[in-house]
């Protein structure tokens, strides 16, 4: 089993690198953001709840997102492993993930921290907002998301360092170089 946490601020390239990891290692991908956007698109109750938080640039309550994660995990059959993208985003979520995997006789192999300077994040997200029309990629909401990232999510860096699972990845430069660094860190953790 290969369980990877792909971590980083909004706009750090988690989704892009996840696609490449999935292609190379044949593991499943869970993007909590993608799951929530699908719920919104389908107009479900969960989607309605999620929209309220996402439009404000806030995180969903831990219990809610942990439940979603557990059921997605259970839906994978004969899985070779999972890349967790957009989860965990709080210490409570990291603790829940550890417990959830332990109950299945598994653990996280590595946490990849895609490190990107703030001005570059801003540029990428504004561009994504213009191109894809993602509702939370507007300047005001991006600023809120970055604040939430610093206060609630960035503490996970020390949490994973303490677990000896942390790998720093320079998240700017050529896409191919970043992917090569990502794969090197994964292969070292296998
Ligand atoms: N693990 C999570 N905990 C709480 N809220 C989440 C989580 N994952 C996604 N969300 C909600 O969905 C939004 C979009 O998530 P995502 O697409 O992962 O953003 P990005 O890729 O820009 O970091 C977040 O701003 C948040 O409101
Ligand atoms: Mg993403």
């Amino acid at each position: 089993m290969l369980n990877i946490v792909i971590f980083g601020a909004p706009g750090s390239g988690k989704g892009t690198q996840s696609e490449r990891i999935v292609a190379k290692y044949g593991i499943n991908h869970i993007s909590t953001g993608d799951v929530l956007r699908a719920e919104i698109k389908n107009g479900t109750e969960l989607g309605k709840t999620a929209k309220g938080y996402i439009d404000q640039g806030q995180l969903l309550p831990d219990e809610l997102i942990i439940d979603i994660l557990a059921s997605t995990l259970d839906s994978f059959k004969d899985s070779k492993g999972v890349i967790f993208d957009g989860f965990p985003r709080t210490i409570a979520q990291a603790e829940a993930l550890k417990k959830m995997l332990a109950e299945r006789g598994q653990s996280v192999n590595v946490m990849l921290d895609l490190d990107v300077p703030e001005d570059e994040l801003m540029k990428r997200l504004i561009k994504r907002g213009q191109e894809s029309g993602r509702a939370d990629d507007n300047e005001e909401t991006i600023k809120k998301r970055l604040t939430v990232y610093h206060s609630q999510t960035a503490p996970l860096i020390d949490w994973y360092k303490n677990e000896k699972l942390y790998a720093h990845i320079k998240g700017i430069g050529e896409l191919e170089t970043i992917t090569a660094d990502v794969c090197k860190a994964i292969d070292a953790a296998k």
Side-chain angles (χ1 to χ4, degrees):
M1 279 291 173
L2 180 59
N3 291 310
I4 300 166
V5 171
I6 190 133
F7 183 86
S12 56
K14 300 184 292 288
T16 307
Q17 294 302 327
S18 291
E19 275 179 35
R20 291 161 166 241
I21 296 169
V22 166
K24 174 153 190 216
Y25 296 91
I27 57 179
N28 293 103
H29 179 210
I30 301 182
S31 160
T32 44
D34 288 351
V35 170
L36 298 175
R37 281 185 288 277
E39 295 284 337
I40 294 173
K41 195 161 165 245
N42 294 331
T44 65
E45 276 310 306
L46 172 59
K48 282 176 202 151
T49 306
K51 190 174 179 343
Y53 290 97
I54 291 176
D55 287 350
Q56 292 303 313
Q58 299 299 321
L59 298 181
L60 271 77
D62 284 328
E63 316 77 67
L64 196 61
I65 206 88
I66 290 165
D67 278 352
I68 296 171
L69 198 94
S71 45
T72 311
L73 211 51
D74 285 332
S75 74
F76 296 149
K77 302 271 176 267
D78 305 319
S79 177
K80 285 201 247 174
V82 177
I83 178 146
F84 297 91
D85 163 5
F87 184 98
R89 261 182 158 91
T90 63
I91 302 269
Q93 292 178 20
E95 281 165 353
L97 178 61
K98 187 176 180 179
K99 185 157 168 270
M100 232 182 287
L101 290 175
E103 283 163 3
R104 292 164 174 80
Q106 298 178 40
S107 59
V108 168
N109 294 73
V110 66
M111 183 267 223
L112 308 167
D113 177 21
L114 290 172
D115 190 7
V116 174
E118 195 114 344
D119 54 338
E120 173 71 14
L121 294 172
M122 202 64 176
K123 255 196 282 177
R124 290 184 189 179
L125 292 167
I126 300 266
K127 183 158 174 271
R128 187 169 75 183
Q130 287 162 350
E131 286 168 0
S132 76
R134 221 179 98 165
D136 57 346
D137 284 341
N138 61 76
E139 192 163 347
E140 194 193 339
T141 314
I142 294 166
K143 282 187 180 146
K144 283 191 199 154
R145 284 156 64 205
L146 289 173
T147 304
V148 166
Y149 170 77
H150 287 297
S151 63
Q152 301 190 53
T153 306
L156 285 173
I157 293 174
D158 280 339
W159 195 89
Y160 277 106
K161 279 184 181 166
N162 193 45
E163 297 270 310
K164 306 269 181 289
L165 294 172
Y166 179 84
H168 177 269
I169 307 284
K170 188 171 157 236
I172 47 168
E174 287 293 322
L175 216 54
E176 294 306 328
T177 311
I178 301 169
T179 305
D181 289 346
V182 159
C183 292
K184 218 184 285 170
I186 294 172
D187 292 336
K190 270 206 288 192

